[in-house]
Structure formats: structure tokens, C-alpha cells
Amino acid sequence: MLDHILGKPSANIRRTQALGFAFLAALLLRRKEAPWGLRWLARWERRVPAWKALIGWSALLYILKHMDDLLGLNAPEPLREYYSRSFYRTTWVFTALDAGFWTAMAIRPKPLRDVLSLLFSLYYLVFTNRAIEKVRKVRALITIDHLRVSWNKGVDNPLLRLVRRLHSSRLTIHRIVALPPPEEQSASNAEDGDSSSSRSKRASLSEAADLEPAKCHVLYAGDPATFASNRHIVLNYPGGGFVSMGPECHMDYLSAWAERTGAVVVSVDYAKAPEYPYPYAIDQCYEVYRSLVQTNGRCIGLDLDADAAPLRIVLAGDSAGGNITASVMFRILEAPDQLRVPEGIVFIYGCFNIDIRAWMTRDETRMLLGADPLLRHSATDITTAAAAAAAVASSFSSSSSLVAVRDHLHHVSPLAVTNLDDGYQQRKFRLGRSKPVYIDDRVRVVRKTPGDASEEGGERHNAEKSSIDGVGYVPLTMTSSFTYFNDQVLSPEMMRAMVIMYIGPNGRPNFRTDYYLSPTVAPDHLLERFPPVYFMCGEKDPMVDDTVIFAARIRNAKQKKQRNSSGNDDNGSATTRKNGAEHLVVPGKVHEYRDYRSSKLYSRRHSQPSSPATQFYIGSTDVSDNDDDQPASVGAANTGGMPPLPASLRMSQFPAVTSPPASLPAPPPPQPLSSSLPPLLNRPVIKVKLVAGMSHGFMQMYSLLPESKSVANTLGDWLGELLFGDHTITPYSRCASA
């Protein structure tokens, strides 16, 4: 209290206050008689035993502390509808661990710090509000040491390291190698001496004289005798905010991938910021890929025949590792080395846009809602799209979990993530129960638009024009990083700190054009050359927009290339609507206003297309909170005569394989489905799965969150599909929700 009176919050003032209170209490306890004002309590000394007095006093303090909850006067609970129950419990444990480890991080020696970190964490597990307050204050002035203590605790603490090891799969081979090998670097440097232009030919982003070899963990769970002849590699770039977390922190699910796929998993411990700022890690990770491809795996101990087929490599990256994975893919496409492109890419809650903004652009909002200006269809395609919508909507849940959250006016609070919250947790003690009034219901007048004065036929023409154009109403929409501003895993303070340390002393970059920092702004000529791409992300992740927009941009680039190559350009369709912003204020004009509910704006806002599944269609969209397997196909009776849904609309479910799935029983030979599919469904394989009720970093909760193991198995199946399978459209896949 004293620090607030003095107007300067200070730990020294609070420490002095606590010591002063303890000293005053000690003086009073030395008295033989009760002080004045408390002498009436002496009458109860013989009537009430000390233990009863202690329990009664504790109960009274507890009731007083929770009086607002008892009377229904408590503050709103912003996280009540954020997460699933299991994910919320896990974040509670991780918050207590962060608070405990940050409390003990300055204690020496290390064995004592390890013990006290766990003891403090147990304290914060019980006193949850103290843990939340501790974490909030630390994150407000987060340092690199705090980030590394928090994210590396699973490796640095012996007990947590043991728990992680118990939940990891058994590996037959686990070795650490440096890539590129020193001898390869020496040969490269010798070539550089022969040719002054060879350095530029390698197209290095950084200007470092020499890159240090990256420490890589090579994992294998199969028979050691078959390791040298295995040509399937999962090249993993682990996440950690660009500043922390090597492969050891991801070992539980990496070992599960090695066991489930039967492939060799290579996880790169690239250099971290701020010691090695952007773009050092990208150069390092690209050199690892180049070394694997050019040596055909000899650099990690593989011994393939000279005439053997080249390695089949799949890239995988989570969080910041997803950003680096996309950047490595750009390097592969742009480098003059002309390296073989990987078989596919798996992104796990990747960071694809480090330009932290509050508001989505109009084009980004259209991508989220499905009305995408980059991909327009003719009237015939619209009919096909409607039929596809019925098929998709009848087989799996849609993107409504993304769209409903962004309907900010359909909430009591514009910052809420659900319309179930009305600002209070309890209503039991309210004398009069009233229905929540949404913001949209409070609006009375709006600016009058030209469409309000048109005739009925004109309005029908405008509606048909809008449906064909596929644009509809585009509302003001917050980005996911601000929608989920209260996220307990990835806070805005942490994101800002990581970006600052990653960019380091480099000049102010242009986030709108530098696609090595923000892959979502990459040009189409690069995105159209991407291999099959699979995305996994939590639906409540602050970076979920990155996943949706990046997937949509890759899809659009590929389809644009297909249309250009086939000569089916959109003749004049782009002229049905101007892409410019709608100005809310017209200079020099006094605006007219009219009743909101009878306006054109109201009808546009409340008449969104009723097929969000197809609007959100990215090639394979599976937004599901259902734990049951569902068949991938839907009968033609439900689709208006359409064929069953293709595999590119579903998430394939592969069994655990240690050899190519050619050994699996083959389905009956049907007529190739891809030849009979409408143009909307015959697309490159781009799969997106949003995990219901989860936020960022759920793969780091492998030991505590049961759903993480399910997700790891699904990701292992995806990796196996990319490594061993082909990507032709067949109706024999199954979909399993994570």
C-alpha cells in the first residue's frame, strides 16, 4: 500500500513495509497483556481452543477474499471461453512453472536452484493468482534470460528432463553431427579461392565470412542395420522464438515421429538470436539442406549406392522454426545451386508474419471469410462451388470458429472471443435477468449509401453481382494476435521482444516486402513452386491468421499458375468491383444518415453466404473438435450428383510405417477420380487443420497434454504420407481429428 501512496511501485518499499509489520507484531507478542482494543478477545481464550480460532480466522479471511465471487460481483473471466479444459489445465501448470523458475533463476549454485525452482512452482500451483501476477510482471519487461529459463526448463532441470525422457519413444540411433562437415566447408572455401564469384553464387543472405556448422541431432528408431540404406529424411527446424530451444526441447515428439514414420529425423540446432541475428539462422539451415542433398545423406552416415535414387526429404518446422522453414524453401527456389525441391513441407503453428498489427487488411479479411479477390470464378464455377459447399459442409465442421470470433459487433464486449460472455461470470444473484444486448443491437443510425435508394430490382441485381463477385460484406476485423491478446502462452510482449532480438542491429526492414521475415508477403512466382504443404495450428493461436493467409496465398499462386497455363483467364471478372478501400469519410460532403436496420449495410452484414466451409476451402480444410474418425467421402445423394470428396479435402490417416506403404493392401482399382472432378476440387495438395480449443505451443506440452500425443501421431502420418505416398486424389483416405 505504501508504494501506491508514494506513487512509485517498488519492491524495496514493499520489503520495508513487510519487515515493519513483522517488527510491530513481534513487539505486541512480547506483551503479557492484550493491547488496548483487543482485550475483549481475552474473554474467549478459555472458551475457544487455539486450533479452532486458527481455522475460523483462516476461513473468515478466505470468505472475505472471495466475497465478490459469492455475491456475483466478480470481474469478467477473459480466459473462460479461450481454451479446452485440458489445455487450460496445462497452461495453469506451465504458468506455475514459469513463475517458480523465474523466481529462483538468480539463485546459486545450480543444484539448489533446481530444487527451489520446483518448490516455488508447487507454491504457485496452489496460489494461482500470485503466479499469474508474477508472470504478467516479468513478461512486461522480459529479457533473453527469462525466455531461455522458461523455454529450456524441460532440459535444464533434471526432474523435468526425466519426465520428458519417460514420454519419449525409444531410439536405436541418436547421434550429433555438424553440418556442413568441416571437410566440406574446407573444400567450399578452396573453391571460393579459385573463383571470386562463387561466394555470390551461393546467394547467402548474411554477409558473414564463414558460417559455423550447425549442430544437428540425427534420430532413428528402426533397426540400426537399416539406417545406412534409409533414404527418407524428415529435416526439422525446431521453434523457440528465434532465441531459444534446441532439438533437446522437442525430443519427445521428434522421437515419436522417428518411430511412426520409420524415417531418419534430422533436427537442426541453428544459431539463436540475439547473438546471431537475422538472417544467420536461415543461411545455416539452408547449408544443412544443401549438404544433405549434395552428399545424398553421406554427411549424416547414410551409405546409399552410387546409382541409388536421391533422398526424399520433407521439411518440418514449428513456430519460429516454421518461419525459418519457409525461408529455407525460398532459398532453395532462388539459389543458383538448383537443388532438388523437398517432397513436402509440414508447418506447425508457424510464424509467417512478424508485422504485428491490430487490424487485418481488406484482402486478408476476404481470405479469412472466403471472399478472396485473388481467386475469382466464372458463373459456372460458382455453381460448382455451391455443390462443393454442400459436400464439404455435410462432412466436417467449417471455419465458423474463425469467423464467429471476428464478428466483433455480435458480442457484448468488442474484445470478447465468444458471445456467451456478458461481462460477468455469475448471474445467480441478479434480481432481474436480462438478455445480453450485443453491440450490433445498439446501433441506431448509419451513413446512407447509394444502394439504400435503389429499387428492388436494382438491389436484386446488386446482390447477384455481389454473389458472383464473391466479395460480400467485409467488416472491420482484428488480427488474431490482437483478438487473442490475453493468450497465456504467447503474449504480445513476448512477440515484440522476440522480433526485436531476431532482427537485431539490422536496419529497419520493410515487413510488407521482406518475405524472408514475413513469408506471407512472398511473390507468387515463388509460392507457386512450393511442394505439397500441410498446416497444423490451434484455433485460438495468436498466429492462426498467419496459417490461414499463408495457405491461401500458396493456393492462390498455384491456381493462378494453372489458369494462366490453361489460358482460362478471368475475362473482365476483376472489373466487377474496385479493390480500393471504401472511404468512410468523403471530403467536402455532409453525409446523410438513416435507420441502421433498414439500411443496405445491415442487410449486407446479416446476409453472409451460408457456406463457410467452401469459402474457407484451401485444398484440405479440416477444422474439427470431434474426436471420432469420419469417412472421407460423402454419398453422391448428399452432393447433388457430385463424386465423393477427394483426398485433398481430407486429412489422410496413415498407420505407423517403417517401410514405404506400397506394401499395404491396395484398394480396388477405380477409375482415376481426378479426371472427373470439377475444377474447384482438382487442386494441389494443401492441407490445413485447426485444433479446437488450443493455442500456441501445444507440441511442447507433450508430457502433460494428452491431445498433443494425438496431434504428434497425426503429424507423423502426414510426414509418412509425404515421404512414402503420392498425392493423387483418391477417395480412400480417412480423416481423424486431433
Side-chain angles (χ1 to χ4, degrees):
M1 182 181 69
L2 290 180
D3 55 346
H4 292 82
I5 294 176
L6 297 175
K8 185 177 182 180
S10 170
N12 292 330
I13 296 177
R14 293 194 297 270
R15 186 182 301 112
T16 303
Q17 177 180 331
L19 292 176
F21 184 84
F23 179 74
L24 178 60
L27 291 179
L28 293 177
L29 290 175
R30 294 185 61 182
R31 297 170 59 99
K32 295 182 179 181
E33 297 181 356
W36 182 84
L38 297 178
R39 293 176 183 174
W40 61 275
L41 292 175
R43 305 173 186 175
W44 297 89
E45 289 181 355
R46 297 181 180 179
R47 300 181 183 180
V48 181
W51 64 271
K52 289 186 178 181
L54 179 61
I55 293 177
W57 181 249
S58 301
L60 178 61
L61 290 179
Y62 192 82
I63 290 174
L64 290 176
K65 181 180 179 181
H66 294 277
M67 186 62 70
D68 55 348
D69 293 319
L70 294 174
L71 298 180
L73 303 175
N74 54 300
E77 293 287 348
L79 298 180
R80 187 161 65 102
E81 300 295 334
Y82 252 53
Y83 309 130
S84 64
R85 293 179 182 271
S86 57
F87 191 84
Y88 186 85
R89 283 191 293 266
T90 307
T91 58
W92 164 58
V93 175
F94 272 76
T95 300
L97 289 172
D98 284 346
F101 276 70
W102 283 338
T103 302
M105 63 182 293
I107 297 176
R108 300 292 185 272
K110 185 179 183 304
L112 179 61
R113 180 172 69 249
D114 292 337
V115 174
L116 292 180
S117 296
L118 296 175
L119 292 178
F120 293 155
S121 298
L122 291 175
Y123 166 80
Y124 285 116
L125 277 174
V126 178
F127 299 97
T128 307
N129 290 334
R130 298 294 300 271
I132 295 175
E133 186 67 10
K134 175 85 174 185
V135 169
R136 182 187 66 83
K137 290 184 175 181
V138 171
R139 286 179 174 177
L141 294 173
I142 196 88
T143 67
I144 181 63
D145 295 326
H146 288 104
L147 289 173
R148 288 175 176 171
V149 166
S150 172
W151 290 344
N152 290 337
K153 58 180 177 287
V155 175
D156 293 340
N157 188 274
L159 181 59
L160 298 184
R161 185 167 60 245
L162 175 62
V163 172
R164 181 183 293 273
R165 186 172 301 173
L166 292 176
H167 285 82
S168 300
S169 300
R170 180 180 175 274
L171 298 172
T172 57
I173 293 178
H174 181 188
R175 64 178 64 154
I176 300 177
V177 299
L179 294 182
E183 57 272 14
E184 183 180 336
Q185 278 197 323
S186 300
S188 178
N189 292 338
E191 294 175 1
D192 290 349
D194 296 336
S195 173
S196 59
S197 63
S198 60
R199 176 68 61 183
S200 61
K201 289 182 179 180
R202 291 177 60 180
S204 175
L205 289 176
S206 66
E207 297 179 358
D210 290 299
L211 290 172
E212 296 181 3
K215 185 173 67 173
C216 301
H217 291 247
V218 181
L219 315 176
Y220 189 63
D223 186 355
T226 63
F227 170 79
S229 59
N230 195 319
R231 66 184 187 92
H232 300 91
I233 294 179
V234 176
L235 182 55
N236 169 251
Y237 300 119
F242 306 106
V243 300
S244 179
M245 298 181 70
E248 300 94 338
C249 299
H250 304 254
M251 199 56 63
D252 38 18
Y253 70 84
L254 290 178
S255 61
W257 288 356
E259 182 181 47
R260 195 168 184 87
T261 63
V264 179
V265 177
V266 180
S267 187
V268 183
D269 190 5
Y270 51 86
K272 305 298 191 295
E275 292 84 1
Y276 299 90
Y278 168 83
Y280 192 92
I282 299 175
D283 284 338
Q284 223 180 18
C285 292
Y286 170 74
E287 290 299 323
V288 171
Y289 179 84
R290 188 173 70 92
S291 179
L292 284 171
V293 172
Q294 292 184 344
T295 65
N296 207 28
R298 291 190 303 273
C299 57
I300 60 172
L302 301 185
D303 187 14
L304 302 176
D305 296 336
D307 56 349
L311 295 175
R312 293 180 65 90
I313 301 177
V314 172
L315 304 182
D318 66 289
S319 190
N323 181 290
I324 292 178
T325 302
S327 299
V328 169
M329 189 64 225
F330 296 144
R331 286 289 311 279
I332 295 171
L333 297 176
E334 290 185 317
D337 297 321
Q338 296 183 351
L339 300 178
R340 176 182 172 88
V341 174
E343 305 301 322
I345 307 176
V346 175
F347 292 115
I348 311 167
Y349 43 78
C351 172
F352 303 122
N353 187 0
I354 64 175
D355 185 14
I356 304 173
R357 294 178 284 113
W359 308 109
M360 300 182 71
T361 65
R362 292 176 60 83
D363 288 343
E364 290 171 345
T365 305
R366 292 189 191 99
M367 289 182 186
L368 186 72
L369 299 178
D372 189 350
L374 301 180
L375 179 61
R376 303 181 183 277
H377 302 283
S378 64
T380 305
D381 292 333
I382 290 297
T383 304
T384 304
V392 177
S394 62
S395 59
F396 56 85
S397 57
S398 69
S399 64
S400 58
S401 60
L402 290 178
V403 177
V405 170
R406 313 306 175 84
D407 191 2
H408 305 302
L409 297 183
H410 197 61
H411 300 152
V412 175
S413 167
L415 305 182
V417 296
T418 173
N419 55 15
L420 299 178
D421 286 330
D422 63 348
Y424 292 92
Q425 182 179 5
Q426 299 183 14
R427 308 181 186 180
K428 295 181 180 179
F429 294 92
R430 297 185 192 178
L431 297 178
R433 295 188 180 182
S434 58
K435 183 179 179 181
V437 180
Y438 301 141
I439 300 174
D440 190 71
D441 299 330
R442 296 179 180 271
V443 179
R444 301 183 63 180
V445 298
V446 292
R447 178 174 60 105
K448 192 174 182 179
T449 60
D452 293 324
S454 62
E455 299 293 335
E456 181 180 356
E459 292 204 7
R460 186 184 304 111
H461 172 73
N462 291 337
E464 293 175 356
K465 179 180 177 181
S466 177
S467 64
I468 294 177
D469 188 38
V471 176
Y473 171 70
V474 181
L476 175 66
T477 306
M478 278 194 298
T479 60
S480 57
S481 59
F482 273 72
T483 299
Y484 303 113
F485 196 84
N486 294 317
D487 188 70
Q488 292 295 290
V489 179
L490 190 61
S491 66
E493 298 89 353
M494 298 170 70
M495 288 192 284
R496 295 197 301 265
M498 290 183 293
V499 171
I500 291 172
M501 288 186 285
Y502 181 52
I503 295 177
N506 294 293
R508 202 309 189 173
N510 190 339
F511 294 141
R512 304 297 178 89
T513 59
D514 191 343
Y515 49 89
Y516 280 91
L517 280 173
S518 298
T520 54
V521 301
D524 287 348
H525 73 271
L526 291 177
L527 298 179
E528 69 186 19
R529 298 164 60 191
F530 265 50
V533 188
Y534 295 178
F535 294 85
M536 178 80 76
C537 188
E539 67 169 352
K540 301 298 178 64
D541 194 321
M543 295 182 180
V544 66
D545 285 352
D546 295 6
T547 292
V548 174
I549 293 173
F550 192 40
R553 289 225 55 224
I554 296 175
R555 174 205 64 182
N556 296 340
K558 289 180 175 293
Q559 291 182 332
K560 187 176 181 181
K561 179 182 179 181
Q562 290 177 353
R563 293 197 306 273
N564 292 338
S565 61
S566 61
N568 295 329
D569 295 332
D570 298 325
N571 296 325
S573 62
T575 63
T576 59
R577 186 190 60 83
K578 294 183 179 180
N579 285 334
E582 295 181 359
H583 296 284
L584 298 182
V585 177
V586 179
K589 177 183 172 81
V590 178
H591 300 92
E592 299 181 13
Y593 296 90
R594 63 169 300 161
D595 182 70
Y596 173 49
R597 282 161 186 78
S598 61
S599 65
K600 179 69 175 177
L601 179 62
Y602 184 86
S603 61
R604 288 175 61 197
R605 170 173 165 73
H606 291 270
S607 61
Q608 287 293 327
S610 58
S611 304
T614 292
Q615 292 177 353
F616 188 66
Y617 175 82
I618 303 181
S620 172
T621 304
D622 186 6
V623 185
S624 176
D625 54 3
N626 184 5
D627 292 329
D628 298 325
D629 289 359
Q630 300 176 2
S633 59
V634 181
N638 298 329
T639 62
M642 282 186 58
L645 286 180
S648 65
L649 281 177
R650 311 301 299 158
M651 184 186 69
S652 299
Q653 180 72 9
F654 255 68
V657 292
T658 55
S659 60
S663 59
L664 299 177
Q671 182 179 0
L673 185 62
S674 58
S675 60
S676 60
L677 286 177
L680 182 66
L681 300 181
N682 191 6
R683 297 181 171 182
V685 179
I686 302 173
K687 299 188 179 183
V688 178
K689 184 170 182 65
L690 304 182
V691 188
M694 292 194 190
S695 176
H696 198 78
F698 49 79
M699 295 305 297
Q700 295 304 312
M701 306 174 183
Y702 192 87
S703 303
L704 295 176
L705 187 63
E707 290 87 342
S708 290
K709 297 182 180 180
S710 228
V711 172
N713 291 337
T714 298
L715 293 170
D717 296 338
W718 283 5
L719 294 169
E721 181 178 335
L722 292 169
L723 285 170
F724 303 115
D726 59 68
H727 311 293
T728 56
I729 297 179
T730 62
Y732 299 103
S733 303
R734 287 184 62 82
C735 174
S737 170

